[in-house]
């Protein structure tokens, strides 16, 4: 069996998060050659090249991208266990990014419960479309982010979950037969919006934008009142809504992948405790009992 030393995993993730061996060495109080040797040792253990360079620019190989997700999970479990057993105080400020283009009500409930249980932790929550909050994480303006996965690479991704968007309309004002279809949607750049367009295009149906709002509550009201048809998740459906099916002219929508992102080097004990809470909430949302 191959055992992966935690210190080597920490060196790998620190190199990724800080963008180089020299910065990682300074952060970990090691020499640059020592960090290089640790990365070489890790590649030997895995049997894959994980890091390459284009000039002086550090790049992860495809194997390096895939392995980074596992390395972050292993470090999270390790550091969470150490923090818990040593009884470290959980305090400080955590800046959280939540997506307006995903059902976040249950995440806000989880965060509220975490806040009640950890009164010494100050939380700053920013809601925006996924692309914006991911960019703010990259710029060190946020510490923890839940966001829809991009179609290309997703650095700092720790866990991912799949969500099935559902076509929905008003129970009181039936719009399913209108042509073009009036859509209620998030602004340009939203993955739900792109999926609605693609699905309608696949069956030759025309559409128009009847309502645009960056917030999920605005879309819920627009659908319930009969302003437009939209794609939501089961957790955001209300009694005023009906699910629309292929028989109604609305083909299945492509699944959404939702991810948890953070930079491990910047994570505090409070952040690790919050991450555990968020993972539990998302795991519960993704479980089969919540799909019906």
């Amino acid at each position: 069996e191959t055992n992966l030393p935690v210190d080597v995993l920490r060196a790998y993730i620190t190199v990724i998060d800080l963008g180089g061996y020299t910065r990682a060495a300074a952060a970990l109080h090691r020499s640059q050659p020592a960090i290089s040797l640790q990365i070489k040792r890790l590649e030997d253990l895995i049997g894959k090249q994980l890091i390459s360079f284009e000039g002086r620019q550090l790049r992860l190989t495809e194997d390096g991208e895939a392995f980074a997700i596992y390395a972050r999970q292993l470090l999270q479990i390790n550091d969470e266990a150490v923090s818990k057993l040593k009884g470290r105080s959980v305090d400080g400020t955590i800046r959280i990014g939540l997506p307006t283009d995903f059902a976040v009500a249950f995440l806000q409930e989880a965060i509220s419960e975490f806040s009640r249980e950890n009164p010494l932790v100050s939380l700053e929550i920013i809601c925006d479309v996924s692309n914006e909050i991911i960019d703010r994480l990259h710029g060190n303006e946020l510490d923890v982010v839940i966001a829809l996965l991009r179609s290309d690479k997703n650095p700092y991704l720790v866990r991912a979950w799949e969500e099935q968007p559902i076509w929905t309309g008003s129970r009181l004002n039936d719009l399913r037969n209108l042509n073009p279809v009036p859509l209620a949607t998030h602004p340009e750049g939203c993955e739900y919006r792109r999926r609605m367009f693609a699905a309608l295009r696949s069956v030759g149906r025309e559409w128009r934008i009847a309502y645009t709002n960056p917030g999920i509550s605005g879309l819920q009201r627009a659908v319930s009142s009969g302003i437009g048809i939209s794609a939501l998740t089961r957790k955001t459906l209300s009694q005023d809504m009906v699910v629309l099916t292929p028989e109604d002219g609305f083909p299945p929508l492509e699944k959404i992948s939702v991810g948890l992102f953070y930079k491990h080097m910047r994570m505090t004990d409070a952040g690790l405790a919050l991450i555990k809470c968020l993972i539990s909430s998302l795991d519960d949302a993704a479980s089969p009992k919540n799909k019906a």
Side-chain angles (χ1 to χ4, degrees):
E1 293 184 2
T2 300
N3 295 311
L4 300 174
V6 172
D7 62 328
V8 174
L9 296 177
R10 195 178 306 281
Y12 178 58
I13 293 302
T14 305
V15 166
I16 296 172
D17 285 0
L18 297 184
Y21 288 23
T22 302
R23 292 174 183 171
L28 296 174
H29 308 292
R30 303 291 301 276
S31 68
Q32 190 270 342
I35 297 297
S36 297
L37 285 173
Q38 285 186 304
I39 300 303
K40 178 63 167 60
R41 181 186 177 196
L42 181 59
E43 290 180 327
D44 289 342
L45 286 169
I46 298 298
K48 300 286 186 179
Q49 182 182 3
L50 303 175
I51 292 176
S52 64
F53 285 89
E54 296 179 7
R56 300 183 65 182
Q57 186 69 39
L58 182 147
R59 302 286 186 191
L60 292 182
T61 65
E62 186 175 341
D63 290 321
E65 291 276 2
F67 181 71
I69 297 175
Y70 294 107
R72 290 181 191 278
Q73 292 178 10
L74 291 169
L75 279 181
Q76 178 233 326
I77 294 170
N78 176 87
D79 293 354
E80 178 191 319
V82 171
S83 176
K84 186 74 173 179
L85 292 174
K86 287 192 172 183
R88 294 174 181 168
S89 62
V90 178
D91 55 18
T93 300
I94 311 172
R95 301 166 301 173
I96 310 163
L98 296 180
T100 54
D101 45 7
F102 176 66
V104 297
F106 69 99
L107 289 174
Q108 291 172 340
E109 292 171 4
I111 291 170
S112 295
E113 181 179 350
F114 172 85
S115 186
R116 288 192 298 270
E117 294 176 353
N118 299 275
L120 298 180
V121 179
S122 298
L123 302 179
E124 298 176 4
I125 301 173
I126 302 295
C127 291
D128 207 334
V129 294
S130 290
N131 282 338
E132 291 297 324
I133 57 175
I134 285 288
D135 287 343
R136 295 184 70 168
L137 174 72
H138 290 186
N140 294 328
E141 297 175 31
L142 293 172
D143 303 310
V144 180
V145 161
I146 301 290
L148 305 188
L149 269 60
R150 292 171 169 172
S151 56
D152 53 357
K153 294 182 179 180
N154 291 278
Y156 311 118
L157 174 66
V158 182
R159 288 280 294 275
W161 297 260
E162 280 197 336
E163 185 72 40
Q164 179 62 63
I166 299 168
W167 286 107
T168 183
S170 172
R171 190 177 296 277
L172 305 175
N173 187 13
D174 190 351
L175 307 176
R176 74 188 74 188
N177 294 321
L178 291 185
N179 188 38
V181 179
L183 294 180
T185 179
H186 291 301
E188 187 66 41
C190 169
E191 287 296 318
Y192 280 67
R193 178 182 175 118
R194 184 181 68 77
R195 281 160 171 74
M196 285 192 287
F197 292 177
L200 292 176
R201 191 181 297 115
S202 72
V203 293
R205 294 198 69 175
E206 296 183 354
W207 67 87
R208 66 179 179 86
I209 302 300
Y211 180 89
T212 303
N213 193 305
I216 190 69
S217 58
L219 290 190
Q220 289 172 310
R221 289 192 294 270
V223 172
S224 294
S225 62
I227 293 175
I229 286 169
S230 192
L232 300 174
T233 60
R234 288 201 179 273
K235 277 188 167 289
T236 55
L237 301 187
S238 70
Q239 293 182 346
D240 299 327
M241 300 178 193
V242 292
V243 174
L244 304 178
T245 67
E247 287 71 29
D248 300 312
F250 295 89
L253 294 152
E254 181 187 349
K255 287 184 178 181
I256 292 284
S257 292
V258 183
L260 169 67
F261 301 79
Y262 65 87
K263 296 182 180 181
H264 197 87
M265 267 302 298
R266 301 180 59 85
M267 198 47 52
T268 62
D269 289 339
L272 290 170
L274 174 63
I275 285 162
K276 180 182 178 182
C277 178
L278 292 174
I279 288 175
S280 176
S281 181
L282 282 161
D283 281 345
D284 180 65
S287 65
K289 68 177 182 295
N290 289 310
K291 294 297 184 184

